[in-house]
Structures are given as structure tokens and as C-alpha cells.
Amino acid sequence: MDFVNVEFNEGIACITIDNQKKLNALNAQILDELESIFLDMAKKTDIRAVMITGAGEKSFAAGADISQFPSLTPEEAFAFAKRGQAVFSLIESSPKPVIAAVNGFALGGGCELALACHLRYASENAMFGQPEVKLGVIAGYGGTQRLPRLIGSGRALDLLLSGRMVTATEAKQMGLVNDVFSPSELLPKIEEIIQVILAQGSQAQAFTLKAVYEGAGRPIAQGLEVEAAAFRDAFKTEDRVEGATAFLEHRAPEFKNR
Ligand code: COA
């Protein structure tokens, strides 16, 4: 991999996007590399949580690589958006929790990448925004859809129509990030959060993610059907026997993740 590094350590995959000369702007090869990592990860049963961050101290990802924009025809632009959307949807559909460690600029496609993750934690120096209107274009990697779903259409349109950047603190107030830490604390705090995640049943987490994302955007009656089906499927696992038994025996569960 030229631009995306992945390290596996005790159940966690740490993915780092490294295109520092361009503040980790997302080019076509980065999308290919992210896709290949996530496809490969589906086969790694020992990996139970994923973290994505940007290399360096300045940027998570400063958007799609703008140098590609001037020559794009409208049809190529459509394909460009579809490609980014497909990779980010693959990330969102991961059955393993995916956590964005936003260590600096998360702009345009970088913000959209964070939105495709299940949880977002930011360092105090992080800046968020969807500045595409400043370039005369719009968010195309899911921002017009995921941002309003996450923070509401009023707040989303504030960002999408103005192109303005917000600090990590404001992003937290908006509900765009789960929490904010000092730059030196960002990764240790996320490590703690991941350890809590790893202590739970991973099958149950996968069913939770499925219910939340498959139910989103549907009428509530349909969403509740999705939830009931996922609840039923959780009862097909060994973990659910262990979870209830451990509770009744006043001990910590030892999940086998199956
Ligand atoms: N695509 C391509 N190159 C990018 C980029 C992007 N999205 N974001 C930053 N870069 C490049 C810059 O062109 C510059 O390259 P250069 O040194 O060859 O000129 C380098 O990264 C450093 O960026 P620079 O603008 O000098 O840093 P800064 O600290 O002054 O500003 C930003 C940082 C993030 C505010 C600014 O780079 C920016 O606005 N980037 C574009 C963000 C954007 O619009 N993203 C959405 C794209 S759809």
C-alpha cells in the first residue's frame, strides 16, 4: 500500500491515511487501498474494531484531491462521486465498529469519511467542514445524506451552504463528534474506548450496527421490523447464552464471538 497503512494489534486494526504533502487528500488510489483493506478485514475474524486516522499532526483528510477536478466531465464527476460513495458505504456497512480519530482537518471527503465511520473522536485542533460550495461543487461522497441524518438538516445545511469550518468543540456541540480530547490524549482515549467495545459481544455489536443502519431512513414500523429480526438473529448465537448465564452467575461474560 502506498498511501494507506494498516496495523493489526490485539483485535484492533489501525488504519492511517498518509498523503501528507496534500494534507492527506483522498485520491483514487487511497480509495482503492481503503476498499481492499476493508474487503480483506471481513475475513479476519480476530479483528473486532477498526480505527481510522490521518498521518501527521495537521490533517485527518483535507477532502478529495482537488487537482483532479478541473478536467472532470459531468459524467466522470458522477462516476467519481459513485466511487467514493461505494467505498464509504463499504466502511459504514462494516460489522466491526469503525472509529474515526480525527487528528486535524476533516474537510469535504475527509469529513464524509468521518461521517461514514460509526463513532468520531476529535483532537482539539481538528476542524470540520464541507467546503465544496467554495469550489462551485457539492459534497459527493455522502455528505448531503449522512450529515443531515447525523446532526439534522438545519445544522447540516449551515455547513453545506456556507462551506465554513467549525472547530472540534463546535462540532461536538452539533453532535458531529462524540467527544474531543487534547492531541496527545486522542489515541490513548480512543484505545480506552475500544477496550470497552472489545469487552462486549461482537456478534451483538454487528447486529446493532445492522439494525441502526438498515433501519435508518425507513418508516418506524419497518425499522422496528429490522430491529426485531436482528434481535432474533442475536438469539442464534452462543454469546447470548454466555451473556445471560454470566449475569445470573454474577461473573463477567467470556464471549466467544460466535
Ligand atoms: N486536494 C489537493 N490538494 C490539497 C487539498 C485537497 N483537498 N487540501 C490541501 N491540499 C494541498 C495544498 O494544495 C497544498 O499543496 P502545495 O503545497 O503544493 O500548494 C498542501 O496541501 C498544503 O495545503 P495549504 O493550503 O498550503 O495548507 P493551509 O494550512 O494553508 O490550509 C486547508 C489548509 C485545509 C484550509 C487548505 O489546504 C484547504 O482549504 N484545502 C482544501 C479543502 C477542501 O476544499 N476540501 C474539499 C475538497 S472537495
Side-chain angles (χ1 to χ4, degrees):
M1 300 269 172
D2 294 334
F3 290 105
V4 187
N5 178 46
V6 58
E7 284 175 13
F8 301 105
N9 189 23
E10 300 195 353
I12 307 166
C14 292
I15 297 173
T16 306
I17 297 168
D18 192 346
N19 182 18
Q20 289 186 64
K21 271 189 264 176
K22 293 190 172 187
L23 300 181
N24 302 329
L26 305 168
N27 56 32
Q29 191 176 335
I30 290 178
L31 294 179
D32 290 348
E33 292 181 13
L34 282 171
E35 180 181 58
S36 130
I37 287 168
F38 273 86
L39 289 174
D40 186 44
M41 204 130 53
K43 296 172 222 147
K44 292 187 184 294
T45 49
D46 55 324
I47 296 303
R48 301 206 18 235
V50 184
M51 190 196 71
I52 304 181
T53 195
E57 291 168 3
K58 194 170 170 184
S59 188
F60 175 70
D65 188 336
I66 300 170
S67 62
Q68 306 167 87
F69 282 18
S71 64
L72 282 186
T73 65
E75 279 318 306
E76 285 166 348
F78 181 74
F80 183 91
K82 295 288 273 183
R83 175 68 186 143
Q85 289 174 0
V87 175
F88 287 8
S89 291
L90 176 69
I91 293 172
E92 186 181 66
S93 66
S94 162
K96 308 164 202 262
V98 184
I99 294 129
V102 182
N103 57 315
F105 290 115
L107 302 175
C111 188
E112 290 165 301
L113 173 60
L115 291 170
C117 296
H118 304 135
L119 296 167
R120 284 154 292 282
Y121 296 95
S123 58
E124 284 159 351
N125 62 312
M127 298 292 289
F128 292 80
Q130 295 289 164
E132 290 86 352
V133 284
K134 295 186 173 186
L135 303 169
V137 297
I138 76 164
Y141 286 179
T144 68
Q145 303 307 305
R146 291 196 176 97
L147 191 58
R149 281 170 170 79
L150 183 67
I151 66 174
S153 56
R155 290 185 178 122
L157 283 168
D158 166 7
L159 299 185
L160 289 161
L161 294 179
S162 69
R164 76 185 179 96
M165 285 195 263
V166 292
T167 62
T169 305
E170 193 178 348
K172 186 181 173 188
Q173 284 161 359
M174 288 178 150
L176 179 40
V177 296
N178 293 80
D179 215 341
V180 180
F181 303 112
S182 70
S184 63
E185 277 193 312
L186 180 67
L187 296 185
K189 286 285 185 189
I190 291 177
E191 170 72 30
E192 281 175 27
I193 291 161
I194 291 181
Q195 287 309 323
V196 173
I197 289 172
L198 293 185
Q200 319 310 321
S202 64
Q203 297 288 304
Q205 288 162 340
F207 288 126
T208 300
L209 289 169
K210 189 171 160 43
V212 167
Y213 286 102
E214 275 190 29
R218 296 184 191 226
I220 188 149
Q222 284 181 22
L224 292 171
E225 282 296 317
V226 170
E227 181 185 79
F231 187 76
R232 176 194 60 212
D233 291 344
F235 274 74
K236 295 175 184 167
T237 66
E238 289 177 27
D239 281 354
R240 69 96 178 190
V241 178
E242 169 61 8
T245 307
F247 176 81
L248 294 172
E249 293 175 356
H250 304 287
R251 61 173 174 82
E254 288 176 30
F255 292 120
K256 298 280 186 290
N257 305 311
R258 54 180 187 246

